[in-house]
Amino acid sequence: MKLSLHQVTVAYPVNISARQQSIFATAAKAMSFGSFAKSGSNQTYVLALNQVTIDVKEGARIGLIGRNGSGKSTLLRTMAGIITPRSGKRFINGSVGCVLNLGSGLEADKSGIENMKMIARFYGMEGAELKNAVEDAANFSELGPYLDFPVRTYSSGMTARLCFGIATARHADIMLIDEVIGTGDAHFVAKAVARIKDICAKSGTVIIASHAESVLHDFCTQGVWMDSGTIKKMDELDTVLHAYNAAAG
Amino acid sequence: MPALKEVWMSVLAWKIWLYTGVDDVLGRYRRTILGPLWIVISQCAFIFGLYLIRKSIAGPDNANYLLFLAISIPAWNLIASFLIDGTNSLLRSKGYIESYPLPMPIFVIRTVVACLVNFFHLLVVFALIAIIYQHPLTLNALWFIPALLIITMFGFGACLGLSGLGVRFRDLSPAISAVIGLMFVLTPVFWVPVPELMNSAIVRYNPFFYLIEIMREPLLQSSISPNVWMTALLISVGTFIAGLTIYKMTRPTVIYWL
């Protein structure tokens, strides 16, 4: 297993004017060598990751910390291969499991069990593996008869249980988890923590983004402090947390 | 992952795109009693309406015009949906794309599958009319198979190219819808191409005519000139290559514009 990013930059375009996403304005600007459709069509970008280089060793347990908007989620999504860097290289060798964006992509009119099957397919499962994973996730979610109800009738906590259950039902070499443990009631949080411990035991490498220091202490040995799209510090977890808290005042 | 390799990986992930594509069609009618039967009903109503207009203008007609409509309208719908739905294919799958590390063209092929499923569904009306009027289907109808392959290649290329552009340029989808509306009138879909019109510019330089003709004529037992086949094939191959090229160009930044 190997995961590394080299000089990776991710910049999101910020769209303020409709002209920025208009094919006619873009064509007019190109054909007039920039003299037409000038105002409002210049694109601005937000640097989410700025020349980030990180080498994740096999068996690493990394906790990502940082303020909101510091680049933690973008880093995880780039590692997962969801985001293509604008520059730099991503190297990965091994299977990736991710718990990102819980609830995103669910089909509201489909039942919980149908959504679980669909997500399991997205994770590459089929046949007996799919069946076992869905059973396991159904047991974990404790949704019982509600699993046959359309997802649009679920509360946010129920949705989180469903998605977390299926997203963590498969073993992967590298597990990427984004700020999901705080979702739901105390009973769910306890179960989620136990399940992540199980994942950590099975997976070679785990990277978790969280604001909860107790969660990071539970699972991680190393810490990465993200700040304004860059890695400010990477070291032992306690050392990084101490530096982060000191800076935060 | 290089864009072209990603396209190939997506083709291999057939279980995902087949499931989601078929499910897309079923999903549209999930909360209705008649379900996908609505597709057939609305198709029947449209064809019947056009038939009534034609009958009131040109007098009593035989079954040929009904059969002509019953294949022309689904063929047109297929091409139009490739272009309109293809433009929105990645936008519609935003939730999946941002959550799961899957090759993006899976969601493009999903759209192609949904369009094809819808097309076959609409062909039920043609089958019904053919049975009622005892329209014979000879071996000539087998030409429908290569025609469908050519159209599918066109559809895949169009969806692939337009999907990335549709994410980047949000006014592309309404612009294409407007053009499709115009082309519906200019293309012999609901009007029969009489010989005098065959050499006119709106037919000769209309790519949609060739694509519809190769699907329509085998089922209507008419012969097609080799020129029409070659032109349709060239349009499909050209669209496919252009689609791959545009996808390759737009792929690196498409996730940022979603």
Side-chain angles (χ1 to χ4, degrees):
Chain A
M1 186 299 299
K2 184 163 172 58
L3 170 62
S4 63
L5 302 179
H6 181 71
Q7 297 280 302
V8 161
T9 295
V10 170
Y12 292 112
V14 183
N15 301 311
I16 302 159
S17 158
R19 282 187 180 182
Q20 291 165 339
Q21 286 193 276
S22 165
I23 195 162
F24 300 107
T26 306
K29 194 179 173 187
M31 284 190 285
S32 63
F33 301 101
S35 59
F36 187 72
K38 208 172 183 177
S39 66
S41 60
N42 288 331
Q43 194 66 57
T44 48
Y45 293 89
V46 167
L47 261 183
L49 292 181
N50 187 9
Q51 305 265 312
V52 169
T53 297
I54 184 170
D55 192 19
V56 180
K57 303 271 187 302
E58 185 164 3
R61 304 274 189 268
I62 297 176
L64 291 180
I65 56 168
R67 298 178 66 181
N68 290 334
S70 59
K72 302 186 296 296
S73 298
T74 302
L75 183 65
L76 286 176
R77 286 189 198 184
T78 309
M79 284 175 165
I82 291 170
I83 293 176
T84 314
R86 283 189 185 267
S87 64
K89 294 273 180 204
R90 165 183 171 266
F91 182 82
I92 191 153
N93 181 16
S95 59
V96 179
C98 44
V99 188
L100 314 167
N101 252 9
L102 277 189
S104 184
L106 287 181
E107 300 272 347
D109 283 333
K110 277 187 180 174
S111 69
I113 208 86
E114 283 175 321
N115 270 292
M116 275 187 179
K117 284 179 184 170
M118 187 178 67
I119 295 169
R121 281 191 179 91
F122 288 164
Y123 284 118
M125 292 183 243
E126 52 187 63
E129 189 192 11
L130 184 142
K131 196 178 162 214
N132 293 338
V134 170
E135 268 179 27
D136 174 53
N139 290 333
F140 173 83
S141 70
E142 295 180 357
L143 289 170
Y146 292 103
L147 281 170
D148 294 321
F149 287 21
V151 163
R152 68 185 142 78
T153 63
Y154 285 20
S155 67
S156 56
M158 289 163 83
T159 307
R161 276 149 64 184
L162 180 135
C163 294
F164 187 83
I166 195 66
T168 51
R170 193 192 202 195
H171 160 74
D173 298 331
I174 304 159
M175 201 71 201
L176 307 170
I177 302 169
D178 187 13
E179 201 65 70
V180 292
I181 301 165
T183 318
D185 55 27
H187 175 64
F188 168 71
V189 171
K191 281 191 78 173
V193 167
R195 195 159 168 101
I196 289 180
K197 276 184 180 162
D198 185 47
I199 293 168
C200 289
K202 288 178 186 165
S203 298
T205 304
V206 180
I207 305 173
I208 300 178
S210 182
H211 290 290
E213 289 189 15
S214 60
V215 169
L216 297 175
H217 276 297
D218 272 349
F219 304 114
C220 307
T221 52
Q222 281 179 285
V224 170
W225 173 10
M226 295 294 298
D227 186 52
S228 304
T230 57
I231 294 177
K232 193 149 188 178
K233 195 173 181 64
M234 182 173 179
D235 206 327
E236 294 289 316
L237 179 65
D238 286 333
T239 313
V240 174
L241 281 174
H242 185 262
Y244 174 66
N245 290 330
Chain B
M1 193 188 300
L4 296 183
K5 189 182 171 193
E6 196 184 30
V7 172
W8 179 239
M9 296 289 289
S10 302
V11 173
L12 296 180
W14 63 272
K15 283 183 181 168
I16 298 177
W17 51 253
L18 189 62
Y19 173 81
T20 48
V22 173
D23 191 64
D24 275 350
V25 179
L26 297 175
R28 280 181 210 172
Y29 303 94
R30 192 158 272 130
R31 293 168 80 178
T32 64
I33 292 173
L34 294 178
L37 199 61
W38 277 114
I39 303 175
V40 177
I41 294 170
S42 61
Q43 170 81 347
C44 282
F46 189 53
I47 289 174
F48 189 62
L50 285 173
Y51 178 71
L52 285 182
I53 291 170
R54 157 100 178 197
K55 202 177 166 188
S56 62
I57 295 170
D61 202 348
N62 53 30
N64 288 341
Y65 184 62
L66 265 180
L67 284 163
F68 175 85
L69 284 178
I71 179 61
S72 298
I73 303 284
W76 172 260
N77 279 345
L78 179 64
I79 291 166
S81 59
F82 279 149
L83 299 173
I84 297 169
D85 295 352
T87 310
N88 296 318
S89 57
L90 293 182
L91 282 172
R92 222 158 37 86
S93 305
K94 177 179 158 73
Y96 299 143
I97 292 169
E98 289 182 341
S99 307
Y100 308 103
L102 290 166
M104 252 185 240
I106 283 180
F107 302 107
V108 174
I109 305 177
R110 165 197 185 181
T111 302
V112 174
V113 170
C115 294
L116 286 169
V117 170
N118 211 37
F119 170 70
F120 284 115
H121 206 150
L122 291 179
L123 276 190
V124 170
V125 179
F126 177 82
L128 287 174
I129 295 171
I131 291 167
I132 291 167
Y133 288 97
Q134 297 177 337
H135 175 67
L137 278 181
T138 60
L139 283 177
N140 193 44
L142 289 175
W143 284 104
F144 180 73
I145 296 167
L148 197 62
L149 291 175
I150 290 174
I151 296 297
T152 305
M153 181 163 62
F154 164 81
F156 183 46
C159 286
L160 200 58
L162 291 171
S163 63
L165 290 175
V167 173
R168 173 67 183 84
F169 303 111
R170 297 302 170 97
D171 50 6
L172 185 63
S173 177
I176 285 181
S177 296
V179 173
I180 289 292
L182 173 69
M183 293 311 291
F184 176 67
V185 179
L186 295 181
T187 308
V189 178
F190 63 93
W191 52 273
V192 183
V194 289
E196 306 87 75
L197 270 174
M198 289 301 278
N199 283 325
S200 66
I202 56 168
V203 173
R204 280 187 71 184
Y205 302 115
N206 182 347
F208 299 119
F209 164 72
Y210 297 95
L211 295 172
I212 287 183
E213 193 75 347
I214 59 166
M215 278 199 288
R216 178 167 56 197
E217 297 309 319
L219 294 183
L220 294 178
Q221 305 304 324
S222 308
S223 57
I224 309 172
S225 81
N227 281 346
V228 173
W229 276 108
M230 279 310 296
T231 311
L233 185 63
L234 281 174
I235 291 167
S236 286
V237 172
T239 308
F240 183 71
I241 293 169
L244 280 177
T245 310
I246 295 170
Y247 180 75
K248 200 178 167 190
M249 285 162 64
T250 53
R251 176 62 185 89
T253 55
V254 78
I255 187 78
Y256 299 110
W257 295 98
L258 268 174

